[in-house]
Amino acid sequence: QVQLVESGGGLVQAGDSLRLSCVASGRTFSSYSMGWFRQAPGKEREFVAAISWGGSSTRIADSVKGRFTIARDNAKNTVYLQMNSLKPEDTAIYYCAATSRAIARIMAQYDYWGQGTQVTVSS
């Protein structure tokens, strides 16, 4: 089992930055590829970013490419999502997820999920 706890969300203005963190506990963090997903009100959950076990490979959704980056610190059992130049359409609950598979964009490939952290971007 892996427990994931997200933090760092909040209310910001358009153009601001936020850094989300997700701390993992349980099994060896470095054994898992990690991902970030988000779900806006009335919409389906969507892929945002993913990072491989060692951090050498990343995937970023086209909708946030150039603004968001993903990183991990295996010594701290933590994965980060740096969000710059935030837009109102980035408003959503952001979820951290872990998979024992290779880096993935598909929700169904993830085994463990956090409870989410709310990000609200005002115009």
Side-chain angles (χ1 to χ4, degrees):
Q1 288 286 336
V2 176
Q3 293 77 43
L4 303 172
V5 179
E6 303 96 334
S7 63
L11 172 62
V12 297
Q13 293 187 333
D16 286 350
S17 297
L18 276 177
R19 188 178 76 160
L20 304 183
S21 299
C22 172
V23 178
S25 60
R27 291 194 169 182
T28 307
F29 178 68
S30 58
S31 299
Y32 292 88
S33 293
M34 302 296 295
W36 285 97
F37 291 77
R38 68 185 182 184
Q39 188 165 16
K43 295 188 177 181
E44 294 186 351
R45 196 172 297 189
E46 65 175 0
F47 170 78
V48 176
I51 189 166
S52 60
W53 306 298
S56 59
S57 296
T58 61
R59 301 287 186 271
I60 305 292
D62 288 343
S63 59
V64 302
K65 195 168 290 183
R67 300 188 297 121
F68 290 13
T69 57
I70 186 171
R72 67 188 295 163
D73 184 339
N74 286 345
K76 295 182 178 180
N77 286 2
T78 303
V79 60
Y80 304 97
L81 184 68
Q82 179 66 43
M83 305 185 295
N84 299 328
S85 302
L86 282 161
K87 303 176 180 180
E89 51 264 42
D90 294 319
T91 295
I93 299 174
Y94 284 72
Y95 297 91
C96 170
T99 177
S100 56
R101 301 170 180 84
I103 189 170
R105 296 174 177 258
I106 308 300
M107 281 178 52
Q109 294 180 334
Y110 283 82
D111 306 303
Y112 303 101
W113 291 84
Q115 294 299 306
T117 185
Q118 176 72 49
V119 172
T120 303
V121 184
S122 63
S123 57

